[in-house]
Amino acid sequence: MSINNPKVSIIMPVYNAVEYIDAAIKSILAQTYPFFELIIIDDGATDGTAEVCLKYAAKDERILYIRQSNGGICKARNEGIKRATGKYIAFSDHDDEYMPDYLELMVKKAELDNLDIVKCGVYYEEMYSDKSREIRKEFFKDEVLTKNLLIERYVSFPVSFWGVWNSLYKASMLRSSRLSFPENIRHGQEDFYFNTSIIPFINRIGFLSKCLYKHFRRLSQSTSAKFYNDRIDAMQAFYQMECKVLKPLVDDKKWQKMATLIYSQKITGILSYCFRTLNAEESMPKCKWALDRFMKNNPYLQSKSMYSCIVQTGNLKYAFVLYLATNRYYKLLFLLWNLKNR
């Protein structure tokens, strides 16, 4: 392996994805950059996924197939990190696809700018139970940020910033940080948790505007389309970790504004999750339960100055949602939320 062609370890957890795994693996084998290993962690699949993976592993020595008892995506990713031998580590979901030049452009960016992490734009393809589809793109600006600039932008990044599957990580950074995916989280937020917890160890992070990863959201099957009580607990854990990680890196004056925005985003995220995953009859009482649970375990210091922090940033939606939620004006909050999202 040449120093100019560093090896990439691609970690792919798989579980009961026999309909999609063939396309996912083919998209990786079709890469214009051939210097990689594909580490497939079978998390106890029972539907024929294993047979497909083993077929490819028998044909291509770059593929390492590992089977473990069902422990969730976080356990599978952590096992993949332990097994990785490349200079860089990438991730792929078992039902998503790389664009052909994904690895080539990501590695080129990482090497050229001496980056700890590279993130690219994403194609989102949402597939509904009635067979209809909606395709959208989410871009980044082509740039390189230091840790301080990254923290300044923290509350304004698009959703794709939090994905691990559109990211290339320097393996030495992951190992020196000794961070891992939280194995107690089973129904979402693990990518958010991982990407925030690693911030103190970043020197430079780069972004590519080009969309190089295709992420499918099959809303009739996706975890994100179902309501789980422990998803609220995961959101609480993530919020508490954010405060623990970020507060020491931000001066007190800036932290007040940042903390208020983060708290507001969590409230808004809970609203969105409840109303997206529940029918009209269930959504309001469940959302009240979720908000009460979150705010009880994460008490927020209410004051006029804190609300004005958000108003000054121009995020009037967050300011209004925060005011109604923290004062328990739930009927008005739910009414306005439903009207806005019709």
Side-chain angles (χ1 to χ4, degrees), residues 28-232:
I28 291 173
L29 297 182
Q31 289 297 295
T32 57
Y33 186 88
F35 307 105
F36 65 83
E37 62 179 352
L38 172 58
I39 305 172
I40 298 174
I41 310 292
D42 181 346
D43 193 38
T46 58
D47 68 340
T49 298
E51 287 74 13
V52 176
C53 295
L54 285 166
K55 177 188 73 174
Y56 279 105
K59 294 179 181 178
D60 196 316
E61 62 182 8
R62 295 174 298 177
I63 299 176
L64 173 63
Y65 171 83
I66 300 164
R67 185 172 174 88
Q68 66 178 28
S69 58
N70 182 252
I73 192 171
C74 291
K75 182 179 179 181
R77 285 175 175 167
N78 288 336
E79 181 63 27
I81 292 172
K82 291 177 187 175
R83 302 271 189 153
T85 62
K87 179 178 180 180
Y88 296 102
I89 291 177
F91 297 90
S92 179
D93 281 1
H94 61 200
D95 56 348
D96 288 346
E97 296 174 21
Y98 282 0
M99 296 297 105
D101 52 354
Y102 175 92
L103 288 180
E104 181 179 349
L105 295 180
M106 296 285 271
V107 171
K108 182 179 179 181
K109 180 72 172 176
E111 291 285 285
L112 184 66
D113 292 323
N114 188 26
L115 303 174
D116 298 306
I117 302 174
V118 184
K119 290 182 177 283
C120 67
V122 179
Y123 291 97
Y124 288 96
E125 186 165 340
E126 300 189 342
M127 308 167 71
Y128 300 91
S129 55
D130 63 0
K131 307 300 182 183
S132 63
R133 297 180 179 221
E134 180 181 345
I135 299 174
R136 61 185 178 87
K137 300 176 183 179
E138 198 166 85
F139 301 95
F140 293 103
K141 179 182 177 182
D142 279 305
E143 61 182 342
V144 172
L145 300 179
T146 62
K147 177 164 54 186
N148 288 338
L149 287 173
L150 173 66
I151 293 168
E152 284 185 20
R153 303 264 194 94
Y154 182 84
V155 294
S156 60
F157 281 115
V159 172
S160 52
F161 172 81
W162 306 105
V164 297
W165 22 256
N166 64 326
S167 308
L168 189 73
Y169 299 87
K170 189 177 285 185
S172 59
M173 180 196 63
L174 292 186
R175 295 204 171 91
S176 63
S177 70
R178 297 185 179 180
L179 295 175
S180 59
F181 288 89
E183 295 183 11
N184 61 319
I185 294 179
R186 300 295 292 266
H187 297 119
Q189 298 284 293
E190 70 280 349
D191 288 7
F192 289 77
Y193 200 101
F194 185 79
N195 277 306
T196 294
S197 62
I198 207 166
I199 286 176
F201 305 95
I202 296 172
N203 290 313
R204 290 161 60 83
I205 181 171
F207 299 90
L208 289 171
S209 62
K210 189 172 183 180
C211 292
L212 299 172
Y213 190 87
K214 181 176 270 190
H215 181 58
F216 293 93
R217 293 184 66 209
R218 297 171 175 87
L219 297 183
S220 60
Q221 304 169 13
S222 172
T223 296
S224 64
K226 302 171 186 176
F227 185 90
Y228 296 93
N229 287 346
D230 62 359
R231 175 70 173 259
I232 305 302

Side-chain angles (χ1 to χ4, degrees), residues 2 4 12 62 84 91 133 188 233 242 296 303 307 341:
S2 165
N4 296 317
M12 179 189 284
R62 295 174 298 177
F91 297 90
R133 297 180 179 221
D233 295 332
E242 280 181 293
K296 178 182 178 182
S303 69
Y307 294 123
N341 291 283

Side-chain angles (χ1 to χ4, degrees), residues 309-317:
C309 280
I310 301 184
V311 174
Q312 290 168 18
T313 67
N315 291 285
L316 299 182
K317 180 186 79 170

